[in-house]
Amino acid sequence: MGPTGALSLAGALSLAGVLAGDSGVQPTGTLLSLDLGGTILPGRDALSHSRGLDCWEVRKHNSSEWCRFIRSNPDCQLEGGFLNYLEGVFCVFPPRLLPLAVTLYALWLLYLFIILGVTAEKFFCPNLSAISTNLKLSHNVAVFSLTFPLHGVTFLAFGNGAPDVFSAVVAFSDPRTAGLAIGAIFGAGVFVTTVVAGGIALVKPFTAASRPFLRDVIFYMVAVFLTFIVLYFGRITLGGALGVTLGQRDLSRAILVTAAPCWRDWVKRSGGCGTGSTPYPAQPACPLSGEEYRPLLPTQETSLRILTSALSPLDYRKWRRKPWYWRVFKVFKVPVELVLLLTVPVVDPDKDDLNWKRPLNCLHILTSPLLCVLTLKSGTYGLYQIQGVFPVWGLISLVGSVLAIIVLITTSNEEPPKYHCVFAFLGFLASAMWINAAATELVNILRTMGVIFQLSNTVLGLTLLAWGNSIGDTFSDLTMARQGYPRMAFSACFGGIIFNILVGVGLGCLLQMTSSQLVVKLEPDSLLVWILAGALGLSLVFSFVSVPAQCFQLGKAYGVCLILYYLAFLCVALLTEFRVIHLSA
């Protein structure tokens, strides 16, 4: 067993200790408490937090006192981020313009989702693919956006789930927004496994792949059960967090190696349901776009032309072929793509030149480190002055400029250098910082919406944050189904989110621990958290029972049942939020 396997086993054993009621760790400091209902709770040794200073109560005061209340109340201070949304809505905008402020915030929220999607799809995932290629990792990762990572190589799984994972980690970073993380992870799970899966069955009835479906659903139920147990006991230790985050690899491998031969023998003996077991049909290769436009004779482009063409986010031939709504959406994405092209290098192993753009890549040597230092901790480190004289960003700019000039002098436009793979790691880091910055703003603006409308973080997570993070999966899966690959799209619904729920919860709690604080206490004091966890588990059980009962033949009746289930769940969740459904004291 390698060191990672030993670490995973230790984490699993520690998690078992937690679930048995023994933390196995005696923290020497305070106990971090995360209230999943949306408010901060004191630890055992922490100072008492006054419920009377809850930020929600700002709307109960006279409008003339809103700004003073926000600025003087510690509970209204947002963690991280570049903009203070609470002060903006309650101090900058007059009370009569509150609807305008909410409208602007809603539009900015939608744009943040666009930023997350574009960064993950066009910059984060390609660089992760290049890294896996350079490290000669197993290419079973080709289906990671569709299934659970079987060999522990979680690069592309992390890439496809980057917005969800980063949003969860950022939400866990502040006890007041931990409910957003649970709401988003579970809410996205319910949405994708019901609405998206049901939509696929409605768009294109099909026969599901039996073994991949049962494997993914079983793993998903185990992941939900582990999270449910952690919430029930209300605490997670260092070993438990490591077990949740890393134990998914060894668990998947052990179960697959043990169960796969038994499953094949059973199918041979019983004849099965005639499902066909080809899990993921390969899509035929498409001809390269623009192949017919290539010149017959090779031409040598100037550095200026290479730079301008590399920085252009528009393909004019593609623009003419696309419908009007695609063009409108593209107009909104162009500013984001342009800034990302300026700051994030992309290495493409499928291209002959590996996407080597010498003038632009030399510029990236300056802009990418500068971006990282200015977005880390919202620019705190970048603006720090060395010896009170020279800022860190100035030093980074100086070093980056020297390195860029050296690379520009020692390389050519036609052939990438031997160290070109380093740009994949640089692009990975820069795109990760972009996603983290966008996720921080996203969490802060959702918390502000919760204060304005007096909604809990959990309901905001299971609605706005879950819908926003799932919208890309919804369109891609439904499009894949229409193109004749419903089995592949259906597998994505149950396989892709397993990584998000384990890593989102495990890593989110892990990053809150310090050397003096090795236990994170989770406080699901809201009935809505239990309804959310129960709804996700029930939807998985429904599919686990009903799909084999139909011999894996999924039609419109199955799709309608799943969509009706989600609507019923949403009604119950909202009625619980507004105290129509509640537990007696």
Side-chain angles (χ1 to χ4, degrees), residues 227-432:
T227 309
F228 185 88
I229 292 298
V230 169
L231 291 176
Y232 177 78
F233 283 94
R235 57 194 294 157
I236 183 169
T237 64
L238 174 62
L242 289 173
V244 171
T245 307
L246 301 175
Q248 39 108 355
R249 184 195 71 165
D250 296 323
L251 175 66
S252 62
R253 181 180 295 175
I255 293 179
L256 281 176
V257 170
T258 304
C262 301
W263 171 259
R264 284 196 294 268
D265 293 341
W266 180 85
V267 171
K268 289 178 181 179
R269 288 196 306 269
S270 63
C273 292
T275 62
S277 59
T278 304
Y280 305 110
Q283 188 169 356
C286 298
L288 293 176
S289 177
E291 184 80 23
E292 66 275 15
Y293 295 99
R294 289 186 177 180
L296 294 177
L297 297 176
T299 59
Q300 198 169 29
E301 292 184 311
T302 63
S303 296
L304 181 60
R305 184 175 179 82
I306 292 174
L307 179 63
T308 54
S309 62
L311 286 176
S312 176
L314 283 176
D315 184 340
Y316 295 102
R317 291 188 294 269
K318 188 176 182 181
W319 174 272
R320 289 195 298 267
R321 295 195 303 264
K322 291 296 184 178
W324 65 270
Y325 54 84
W326 183 92
R327 298 182 187 182
V328 172
F329 186 59
K330 184 66 175 179
V331 168
F332 286 102
K333 293 200 300 182
V334 162
V336 178
E337 293 178 349
L338 182 59
V339 174
L340 289 169
L341 286 170
L342 278 168
T343 55
V344 182
V346 177
V347 177
D348 190 350
D350 295 329
K351 293 185 177 180
D352 293 335
D353 62 352
L354 304 177
N355 199 40
W356 167 248
K357 309 294 181 185
R358 175 170 161 260
L360 181 58
N361 288 140
C362 291
L363 183 62
H364 287 148
I365 298 175
L366 171 63
T367 58
S368 293
L370 201 57
L371 164 78
C372 294
V373 75
L374 290 177
T375 54
L376 185 64
K377 289 291 183 180
S378 303
T380 303
Y381 296 133
L383 299 177
Y384 176 77
Q385 295 196 351
I386 303 172
Q387 299 293 327
V389 177
F390 199 70
V392 172
W393 67 264
L395 178 62
I396 297 295
S397 301
L398 184 61
V399 174
S401 299
V402 172
L403 292 177
I405 293 173
I406 293 175
V407 172
L408 186 65
I409 295 173
T410 58
T411 57
S412 65
N413 290 333
E414 291 75 26
E415 185 179 355
K418 294 181 179 180
Y419 52 82
H420 186 222
C421 60
V422 176
F423 284 88
F425 291 90
L426 182 61
F428 160 73
L429 182 60
S431 55

Side-chain angles (χ1 to χ4, degrees), residues 59-78:
R59 297 293 300 275
K60 296 180 181 179
H61 292 72
N62 190 283
S63 59
S64 60
E65 300 177 354
W66 285 356
C67 185
R68 182 180 59 82
F69 182 89
I70 291 294
R71 289 176 173 172
S72 61
N73 190 348
D75 190 50
C76 297
Q77 305 306 309
L78 298 177

